[in-house]
Amino acid sequence: MPAASVSRRIGQLLSATVVVLLLIDGAVQLFQPALVAQEMIRSGWPMEMAPVVGGIALLCALLYAIPQTAVIGAILITGFVGGAIATHLRLNEIGSPDELICAAIGIAAWAGLWLRGRISREPETMQPNTRLSSRAPNRRPV
């Protein structure tokens, strides 16, 4: 199996894992908020916010799962897990398992995109200004 194919498969697996984790988190917060009630209260979040947080998690997962919006989804996932990490830092839980899981989800989201080839692996090169030639490809320069 070619190396590109292997990396693409690993990227798909990482991306699918991120989507599944966010779907589970969002579904629990939307449909079974009692399961997260103690943790929400302990972290200082009112229980009324559980459906909002769940909806955000589901939106992030949906945008990340659609190839055309995957980069936007990864940006939103980064913000989402960054907020969770900030909450854990505020609670003086530096290096807690929950904080590390959030960091791993953010890293996996971007690694999945990179391995799938959804974001470039090489830096953009400087191209000469070819505006005229791109508008009228059959024209000769004067």
Side-chain angles (χ1 to χ4, degrees), residues 89-107:
L89 286 174
R90 186 181 60 80
L91 297 172
N92 203 24
E93 295 178 352
I94 299 169
S96 69
D98 293 338
E99 189 179 44
L100 296 176
I101 289 169
C102 290
I105 290 171
I107 292 168

